[in-house]
Amino acid sequence: MSACPCGRARLGQDVRMNTLAWLMVAVLASATGGEMLQPNASLTLLPHERNLVVGDNFTFSLIFSGELLADVNVTFELSKPLGETPAPLLLRPDTENGTSWPLPFQATENGKATLTVQTLPPGLVQTNPSEAFALISVMQEPSINVVGDVLGWIYTIAWDVSFLPQIVHNWRRRSVVGLSFDFLTFNFIGFLSYFLFNMGLTWVDEIKDEYFQRHPRGVLHVRLNDVIFPLYALFCTVVQIAQCFYLQKEEGQRVSTTCIIISGTMVLSAVVGCVVVPLVESLLWLDLLYWLSYIKLAITCVKYTPQLWENYRRKSTEGWSIYQVIFDFTGGSFSLVQMFLLAYNYDDWRSVLTDPTKLGLGVLSILFNVLFFMQHYCLYRDTPTTKTSNTLKEATGYQNQSEVTTHM
């Protein structure tokens, strides 16, 4: 056989062959002035990503291409003991191009790990970090994943619907009094940044190539829905901004100077990035996309503050639809529950604890929603109809004296 699987005992019998191979590599290096020759052979491990359940058996494939100059020992490493590591292989110089070997693997523990390929002596076979690896995810119970998928649909629908109540609320009142223009400004910039980030990683091949060059063993989890959602949110925000131009407004109601400065700084930094990236060799378009994602994260931290202040200033939540808060709270809560369920199922608590951005922003959004609930249902629950509402009725011709302005 041109190549045969064997155990560690068999590998120990080939010490002399390995020594000769090492000497051959050294001779070739000295003959080329101390520089190692580029290997004419490579190994690829497929598939690069696999989801399993504890107790599952799966067979990976190791594929050889090129030609060998000497014997090569191939071993495998698991970053976390999710099962027994595949047995080592011994590749002979007469191994044919395109030869593949089955690598049986049984999942015994839940968790996430990376299976990598190691070769001795080095320099004879190329083990490209983007080809000679496999990401293995082992879940404890498939039913937990099903629950996680259901929660995912619930919070996705809740977040999608959350943009509609404010639009309807504005239209029914024929007014945007009580709605913070700063909130809309931050929302527009945030969702535009998020849309450009996901669009670049989904549709721009140059940026995807930059991602895999920087993260050879990375897997892009950006999907089409990750592009559609911010685009939809951006559209809903634009509709609300348009309402601000033709519906009733309060005198002096505008975007604050503070918001203009913060938003202008963020937009200017992105524009400067577009100019600098082509001029600086060490910077990539991928870096600019990351910067846009940081802008989105920063905006999420502060965007609710202007609306909280507007409610406090007016001592009323009359112009702020509580239904969008309810849907947003539902989405954020189920998103966090899903995160912890999946972390338990895959024994991957590190992904939660080492990603303070996602966890922190989720908790922060829920905290803001709780504050809105307190304002609406506790602090300003019995607030009488405001002067601006009466002025609005006079301006729009409402003459029904028995009409009572509802609080929701």
Side-chain angles (χ1 to χ4, degrees):
M1 294 178 63
S2 60
C4 56
C6 52
R8 291 179 175 80
R10 171 68 183 275
L11 292 177
Q13 298 174 2
D14 296 300
V15 172
R16 280 183 290 182
M17 294 299 296
N18 290 338
T19 303
L20 291 175
W22 276 93
L23 290 175
M24 181 180 295
V25 173
V27 170
L28 290 173
S30 62
T32 56
E35 296 183 0
M36 295 295 293
L37 291 174
Q38 290 295 324
N40 294 323
S42 64
L43 291 172
T44 302
L45 187 60
L46 294 175
H48 291 317
E49 187 176 13
R50 183 66 185 180
N51 291 321
L52 301 171
V53 181
V54 172
D56 278 357
N57 292 287
F58 182 77
T59 301
F60 292 92
S61 295
L62 184 69
I63 302 174
F64 171 82
S65 60
E67 57 181 357
L68 287 175
L69 300 176
D71 286 358
V72 174
N73 292 328
V74 180
T75 57
F76 305 91
E77 290 186 2
L78 268 173
S79 59
K80 186 177 180 180
L82 304 182
E84 186 176 351
T85 304
L89 299 173
L90 176 62
L91 308 188
R92 301 289 190 183
D94 59 348
T95 301
E96 295 182 359
N97 182 44
T99 303
S100 64
W101 299 269
L103 303 176
F105 175 80
Q106 182 179 28
T108 58
E109 300 287 341
N110 64 322
K112 294 187 176 182
T114 303
L115 178 64
T116 55
V117 180
Q118 311 292 329
T119 61
L120 283 176
L124 293 180
V125 177
Q126 181 180 0
T127 53
N128 192 320
S130 63
E131 297 293 338
F133 83 101
L135 300 178
I136 305 175
S137 300
V138 182
M139 69 183 79
Q140 184 69 39
E141 289 290 342
S143 57
I144 297 179
N145 256 32
V146 173
V147 173
D149 290 339
V150 172
L151 293 178
W153 278 105
I154 292 176
Y155 75 68
T156 299
I157 294 173
W159 276 336
D160 287 343
V161 175
S162 69
F163 294 97
L164 303 179
Q166 188 64 51
I167 296 175
V168 175
H169 190 63
N170 295 341
W171 178 254
R172 293 181 64 181
R173 296 173 64 243
R174 301 295 193 274
S175 170
V176 291
V177 175
L179 178 61
S180 171
F181 289 5
D182 291 3
F183 170 76
L184 295 180
T185 303
F186 285 138
N187 246 5
F188 177 82
I189 297 174
F191 285 120
L192 178 60
S193 301
Y194 190 43
F195 167 70
L196 293 175
F197 172 79
N198 287 323
M199 182 189 68
L201 288 176
T202 303
W203 289 328
V204 182
D205 292 334
E206 179 183 353
I207 295 177
K208 289 195 289 186
D209 292 340
E210 291 176 352
Y211 176 85
F212 287 114
Q213 288 174 7
R214 182 170 292 179
H215 309 285
R217 293 176 182 169
V219 177
L220 270 176
H221 292 287
V222 180
R223 298 293 182 262
L224 181 60
N225 63 293
D226 297 314
V227 181
I228 299 301
F229 171 74
L231 183 61
Y232 161 78
L234 190 63
F235 172 78
C236 291
T237 303
V238 170
V239 171
Q240 293 182 50
I241 292 174
Q243 289 179 322
C244 295
F245 284 97
Y246 65 84
L247 295 182
Q248 178 75 22
K249 294 188 292 293
E250 196 173 20
E251 184 178 353
Q253 189 176 4
R254 61 179 182 83
V255 179
S256 70
T257 303
T258 302
C259 178
I260 292 174
I261 294 174
I262 295 175
S263 302
T265 302
M266 291 178 173
V267 173
L268 181 61
S269 68
V271 172
V272 170
C274 292
V275 176
V276 170
V277 168
L279 302 177
V280 180
E281 186 177 353
S282 60
L283 292 178
L284 304 175
W285 288 110
L286 179 65
D287 297 314
L288 179 60
L289 287 192
Y290 282 145
W291 178 247
L292 292 177
S293 71
Y294 299 148
I295 290 177
K296 165 59 178 172
L297 295 178
I299 285 177
T300 304
C301 290
V302 301
K303 71 175 186 178
Y304 294 108
T305 305
Q307 188 62 55
L308 279 172
W309 173 255
E310 180 71 8
N311 295 344
Y312 169 77
R313 184 184 67 82
R314 300 178 68 250
K315 299 296 186 291
S316 170
T317 60
E318 186 181 357
W320 176 244
S321 174
I322 194 62
Y323 293 112
Q324 72 171 329
V325 180
I326 294 174
F327 283 120
D328 189 45
F329 179 82
T330 302
S333 300
F334 280 105
S335 174
L336 287 180
V337 172
Q338 183 202 51
M339 185 192 309
F340 284 103
L341 271 180
L342 295 181
Y344 164 77
N345 203 25
Y346 288 98
D347 191 25
D348 191 29
W349 299 105
R350 183 175 177 274
S351 65
V352 176
L353 301 177
T354 58
D355 189 6
T357 300
K358 182 176 180 180
L359 178 62
L361 288 178
V363 173
L364 190 63
S365 296
I366 291 177
L367 175 61
F368 274 115
N369 289 328
V370 170
L371 293 177
F372 283 127
F373 286 144
M374 292 176 62
Q375 285 185 325
H376 186 80
Y377 293 111
C378 300
L379 298 178
Y380 313 131
R381 177 180 179 84
D382 299 321
T383 301
T385 302
T386 61
K387 180 180 179 180
T388 55
S389 294
N390 293 328
T391 303
L392 169 63
K393 289 184 179 183
E394 294 174 3
T396 53
Y398 286 123
Q399 302 295 328
N400 187 356
Q401 299 298 323
S402 64
E403 178 182 357
V404 179
T405 302
T406 57
H407 192 59
M408 293 186 68

